């Protein structure tokens, strides 16, 4: 058993959760149909009336929402409340095309904060804790989300935002931060920096809540060991609210979805067919309590598996695996599917750091995959032959994992670009999707 | 009696060597010897300096990856055959030579050669027995 922020909700029976979901979905569909032209038109086209939706079992009758829809409806197309009732926007760091802007009423902020509070409590947080938030603040949801959650728990909140490692470590030691919230790559970077400065003894961290980018079990062990903490995963997306859509518990075998607010489905990404629990497919969310920016069946592009197996923490909400890949991050190189997480696994197994960059180019109509890897003190040797021997082994292991040859290039430490604390993992120079 | 060499990881990019040299000179550290072993993508830059401790701290602060490698420094003449003699000594004792490079002492009759071998202790004992003069870290800075 564990600690809960809202025990009566987090450990409710699955029947009770279903009842809440059905009741809220019916209400939400009506709200959306009445206030959002895009949904009204789509439902009319499909011949679905709000009255046809009587509970969660009717969810599959509703239209999907895609990222493209969000871009097309920018900025106000999907707004379901008057602006006078909205108090905040957040936005995603889009790399192509228009940004996505999400709106929040105070009610929406409160429920989001509650979701984050559940995650902090699941990681062992109480009002005695010092929560060190070095996710970016601003349009990015990471900082504001965990900040709000920490307030709800009553912990002392350090709104550090990202960057300025020197200051992060100083506050961490001077104010005795106990829970660290940031991206896993920044956590790994901080761990390295703390190690380098020899100040590990002055750090009081006991747990970390890391999300907003893909990371592996190996990376988790690496961070846990270096910082002497338990590292918890958290999942979320701006379109649905922000971090805290789901979060990990003490079992660390998947993230509980906050099902009283978000209904999760897994679908076949090609056909849109709903898949049973336990099958791998694209994760889809419907937000059933949000007022300002409620989305129906939003396709996340994350590939996941849902599980309703009983969890030792006592929570009853469905668990999702961490994203096993992204249908749009997946690279096709020489006709082979390549997921960055596969490359990360190999690097960590071979003793390299998880800081890498994948560069795909096309020369004379032939794809070329280059993996840039940061050199670490452990892998460095005075002997060029020794370094080259390790490099060859890495190339062999990558070939075994990916099925294709990847060129490895060793680069100087900390030379791989980071933006908002997020490492840029893939650079595809082939321009395959030129518009 | 070994001399501490600093081996630094550098990417094979224009300006990287100059950058290390500048980091050293900015910190007031003099270079006795500099030698690069490189591949297409990266290199190991080997340095002998007058203040190894200070140089290591400066490199660490700047985020470089490096290691300290004990090497043997030998004084020889620039007569033909003197290097050959030493290599023969190693060969006869089954000592593997990984690499060697020379140090510019600025004096015509004074040549130092740096050896990285498989067994430093054995190599030094045999060299001494054969009357070869081994240079200490202090002598290096003179
Ligand atoms: Zn659990």
């Amino acid at each position: 058993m564990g600690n809960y922020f809202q025990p009566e909700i987090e450990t409710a029976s699955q029947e009770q959760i279903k009842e809440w979901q059905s009741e809220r979905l019916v209400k939400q569909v009506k709200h959306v149909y009445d206030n959002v032209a895009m949904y009204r038109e789509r439902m009319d086209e499909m011949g679905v009336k709000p009255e046809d939706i009587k509970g969660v079992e009717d969810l599959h009758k509703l239209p999907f929402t895609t990222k493209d829809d969000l871009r097309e409806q920018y900025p106000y197309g999907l707004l379901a409340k008057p602006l006078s009732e909205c108090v905040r926007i957040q936005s995603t760091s889009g790399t192509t095309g228009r940004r996505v802007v999400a709106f929040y009423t105070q009610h929406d902020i409160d429920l989001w904060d509650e979701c984050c509070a559940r995650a902090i409590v699941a990681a062992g947080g109480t009002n005695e804790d010092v929560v060190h938030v070095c996710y970016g603040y601003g349009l990015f949801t990471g900082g504001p989300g965990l900040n709000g959650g920490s307030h709800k728990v009553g912990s002392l909140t350090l709104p550090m935002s990202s960057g300025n490692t020197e200051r992060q470590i100083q506050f961490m030691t001077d104010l005795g931060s106990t829970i660290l919230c940031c991206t896993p790559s920044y956590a790994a970077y901080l761990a390295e920096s703390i190690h380098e400065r020899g100040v590990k003894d002055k750090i009081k961290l006991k747990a970390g809540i890391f999300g907003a980018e893909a990371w592996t079990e190996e990376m988790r062990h690496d961070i846990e060991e270096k910082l002497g903490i338990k590292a918890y995963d958290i999942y979320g997306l701006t379109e649905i609210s922000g971090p805290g859509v789901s979060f990990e518990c003490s079992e660390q075998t998947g993230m509980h979805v906050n099902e009283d607010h978000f209904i999760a489905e897994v679908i076949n990404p090609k056909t849109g067919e709903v898949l049973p629990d336990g099958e791998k497919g694209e994760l889809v969310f419907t937000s059933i309590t949000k007022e300002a920016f409620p989305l129906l069946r939003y396709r996340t592009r994350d590939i996941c598996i849902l599980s309703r197996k009983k969890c030792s923490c006592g929570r009853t909400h469905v668990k999702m695996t961490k994203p096993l890949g992204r249908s749009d991050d997946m690279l096709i190189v020489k006709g082979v599917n390549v997921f960055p997480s596969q490359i990360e696994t190999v690097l960590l197994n071979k003793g390299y750091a998880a800081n890498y960059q994948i560069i795909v180019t096309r020369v004379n109509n032939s794809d070329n995959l280059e993996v840039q890897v940061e050199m670490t003190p452990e892998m460095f040797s005075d002997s060029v032959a020794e370094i080259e021997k390790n490099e060859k082994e890495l190339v062999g292991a990558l070939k075994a994992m990916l099925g294709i040859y990847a060129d490895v290039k060793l680069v100087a430490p900390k030379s791989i670009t980071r933006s908002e604390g997020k490492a840029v993992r893939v650079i595809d120079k082939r321009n395959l999707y030129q518009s | 009696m070994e001399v501490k060499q600093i081996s630094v990881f550098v990417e094979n990019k224009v300006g990287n060597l100059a950058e290390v040299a500048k980091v050293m000179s900015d910190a007031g550290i003099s270079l006795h010897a500099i030698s690069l072993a490189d591949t297409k993508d990266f290199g190991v830059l080997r340095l002998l300096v007058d203040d190894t401790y200070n140089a290591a701290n400066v490199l660490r602060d700047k985020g470089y990856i490096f290691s300290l490698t004990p090497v043997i420094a030998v004084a020889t003449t620039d007569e033909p055959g003197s290097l050959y003699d030493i290599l023969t000594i190693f060969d006869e004792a089954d000592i593997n030579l990984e690499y060697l490079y020379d140090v510019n002492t600025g004096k015509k009759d004074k040549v130092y050669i740096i050896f990285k071998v498989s067994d430093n202790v054995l190599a030094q004992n045999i060299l001494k027995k054969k009357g070869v003069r081994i240079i200490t870290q202090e002598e290096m800075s003179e």
Side-chain angles (χ1 to χ4, degrees):
Chain A
M1 300 301 274
N3 309 313
Y4 316 108
F5 180 63
Q6 291 161 308
E8 70 290 348
I9 297 172
E10 293 176 67
T11 64
S13 70
Q14 295 206 347
E15 294 71 44
Q16 174 66 72
I17 293 170
K18 211 176 156 192
E19 206 174 293
W20 284 330
Q21 287 186 330
S22 289
E23 185 191 303
R24 290 169 189 180
L25 177 67
V26 170
K27 225 174 108 190
Q28 188 72 298
V29 170
K30 190 172 182 320
H31 172 59
V32 164
Y33 186 88
D34 290 345
N35 293 288
V36 181
M38 184 190 88
Y39 284 123
R40 189 162 54 244
E41 282 158 21
R42 288 214 181 147
M43 285 172 65
D44 287 348
E45 244 168 62
M46 296 165 78
V48 182
K49 294 277 155 220
E51 308 84 77
D52 297 334
I53 309 301
K54 299 190 170 68
V56 279
E57 62 282 0
D58 296 320
L59 185 62
H60 67 97
K61 294 177 184 164
L62 292 166
F64 288 115
T65 312
T66 65
K67 190 132 190 165
D68 286 341
D69 292 331
L70 268 55
R71 293 202 182 105
E72 274 161 29
Q73 297 297 323
Y74 172 91
Y76 298 124
L78 292 167
L79 187 62
K81 278 277 181 186
L83 276 180
S84 57
E85 289 185 42
C86 297
V87 297
R88 171 105 63 84
I89 67 148
Q90 301 289 161
S91 176
T92 59
S93 49
T95 45
T96 52
R98 295 182 196 166
R99 295 180 73 93
V100 169
V101 173
F103 298 84
Y104 302 76
T105 62
Q106 187 56 51
H107 161 92
D108 296 340
I109 298 272
D110 284 339
L111 77 85
W112 175 23
D113 288 351
E114 263 172 34
C115 288
C116 288
R118 292 179 194 174
I120 292 170
V121 173
T126 69
N127 59 1
E128 305 285 333
D129 278 292
V130 178
V131 177
H132 189 110
V133 184
C134 41
Y135 282 114
Y137 279 65
L139 290 172
F140 179 52
T141 50
L146 271 305
N147 192 90
S150 174
H151 280 208
K152 291 261 180 206
V153 177
S155 311
L156 178 66
T157 313
L158 273 49
M160 302 299 302
S161 198
S162 54
N164 200 339
T165 305
E166 210 56 56
R167 190 175 63 196
Q168 303 282 0
I169 296 174
Q170 193 195 332
F171 273 70
M172 218 173 262
T173 52
D174 292 353
L175 295 171
S177 309
T178 55
I179 298 179
L180 174 66
C181 305
C182 60
T183 57
S185 65
Y186 193 59
Y189 180 76
L190 271 176
E192 271 172 46
S193 306
I194 287 167
H195 189 75
E196 274 170 16
R197 285 167 179 74
V199 293
K200 165 103 201 315
D201 294 348
K202 295 183 186 153
I203 301 287
K204 294 207 180 80
L205 291 176
K206 63 175 187 186
I209 301 174
F210 307 130
E213 63 186 24
W215 53 313
T216 57
E217 279 307 304
E218 287 85 353
M219 197 167 167
R220 187 211 298 269
H221 293 316
D222 190 45
I223 295 170
E224 287 191 334
E225 201 179 311
K226 281 213 177 109
L227 287 176
I229 61 170
K230 269 197 102 171
Y232 297 92
D233 206 351
I234 187 167
Y235 175 88
L237 54 176
T238 309
E239 295 88 326
I240 297 303
S241 68
V245 170
S246 66
F247 61 93
E248 224 170 30
C249 61
S250 52
E251 217 185 81
Q252 292 182 312
T253 57
M255 296 174 276
H256 290 285
V257 176
N258 283 310
E259 284 191 286
D260 51 325
H261 296 300
F262 315 108
I263 304 178
E265 296 172 279
V266 161
I267 63 161
N268 176 330
K270 286 209 181 77
T271 62
E273 172 206 2
V274 180
L275 299 174
D277 291 347
E279 278 194 34
K280 187 158 76 170
E282 184 180 336
L283 185 64
V284 172
F285 280 113
T286 300
S287 43
I288 47 174
T289 49
K290 271 177 68 181
E291 297 175 337
F293 199 71
L295 299 185
L296 300 183
R297 306 191 80 199
Y298 179 67
R299 295 184 59 160
T300 63
R301 300 279 162 198
D302 284 328
I303 305 294
C304 286
I305 301 170
L306 293 178
S307 162
R308 291 196 177 274
K309 282 200 197 104
K310 210 169 170 199
C311 187
S312 65
C313 77
R315 286 180 186 78
T316 47
H317 294 228
V318 71
K319 282 208 291 202
M320 59 178 266
T321 56
K322 68 167 68 236
L324 305 168
R326 266 184 79 78
S327 42
D328 53 2
D329 251 14
M330 187 185 76
L331 288 162
I332 301 177
V333 185
K334 294 176 185 164
V336 173
N337 294 353
V338 173
F339 290 101
S341 57
Q342 294 174 302
I343 291 173
E344 190 174 320
T345 304
V346 173
L347 289 178
L348 290 163
N349 283 345
K350 287 278 156 202
Y352 292 89
N355 288 322
Y356 62 95
Q357 196 160 54
I358 301 162
I359 296 163
V360 191
T361 50
R362 182 165 283 179
V363 182
N364 298 331
N365 286 322
S366 172
D367 289 343
N368 185 40
L369 179 65
E370 177 179 291
V371 181
Q372 294 195 350
V373 185
E374 286 185 1
M375 183 46 103
T376 63
E378 293 76 27
M379 297 311 289
F380 178 63
S381 160
D382 167 55
S383 156
V384 172
E386 183 71 24
I387 297 175
E388 284 189 313
K389 185 178 139 265
N390 289 333
E391 200 177 0
K392 261 202 191 109
E393 276 181 31
L394 178 59
V395 169
L398 284 170
K399 176 104 200 291
M401 170 69 98
L402 305 174
I404 54 169
Y405 173 79
D407 200 12
V408 168
K409 186 172 176 211
L410 296 169
V411 299
K414 290 163 197 170
S415 61
I416 286 170
T417 333
R418 287 173 175 81
S419 67
E420 285 188 0
K422 245 183 177 180
V424 179
R425 292 291 178 222
V426 179
I427 297 177
D428 195 336
K429 294 182 175 167
R430 293 175 296 181
N431 294 325
L432 297 180
Y433 307 106
Q434 248 173 1
S435 47
Chain B
M1 289 290 276
E2 289 153 345
V3 172
K4 284 263 183 305
Q5 167 195 283
I6 304 177
S7 313
V8 189
F9 177 81
V10 285
E11 277 182 54
N12 227 344
K13 264 195 238 162
V14 179
N16 272 0
L17 295 188
E19 200 186 291
V20 176
K22 185 169 187 310
V23 164
M24 292 289 112
S25 86
D26 284 353
I29 295 161
S30 316
L31 298 174
H32 294 319
I34 182 161
S35 152
L36 176 72
D38 63 347
T39 70
K40 179 166 66 67
D41 295 329
F42 70 90
V44 176
L45 185 65
R46 296 167 180 142
L47 307 172
L48 292 179
V49 300
D50 60 347
D51 187 343
T52 308
Y53 177 77
N54 194 11
N57 280 334
V58 169
L59 287 169
R60 189 174 296 119
D61 283 350
K62 295 280 178 192
Y64 282 97
I65 286 190
F66 64 93
S67 63
L68 296 181
T69 315
V71 291
I72 300 172
V74 164
T76 153
T77 59
D78 53 2
E79 281 165 32
S82 56
L83 175 60
Y84 176 79
D85 292 343
I86 295 171
L87 294 179
T88 308
I89 294 171
F90 286 154
D91 208 29
E92 281 166 359
D94 257 346
I95 294 166
N96 285 324
L97 175 71
E98 289 182 25
Y99 54 80
L100 63 82
Y101 56 94
D102 61 355
V103 180
N104 179 13
T105 59
K107 288 173 197 126
K108 200 165 165 280
D109 56 341
K110 206 167 149 196
V111 176
Y112 294 162
I113 303 181
I114 306 298
F115 293 96
K116 173 75 171 67
V117 294
S118 53
D119 187 336
N120 274 344
V121 177
L122 179 64
Q124 287 181 88
N125 286 340
I126 290 174
L127 288 174
K128 262 185 248 167
K129 251 185 234 157
K130 299 272 181 182
V132 178
R133 193 160 80 84
I134 296 174
I135 303 298
T136 62
Q137 192 97 37
E138 291 70 38
E139 283 175 278
M140 193 67 112
S141 303
E142 276 164 14

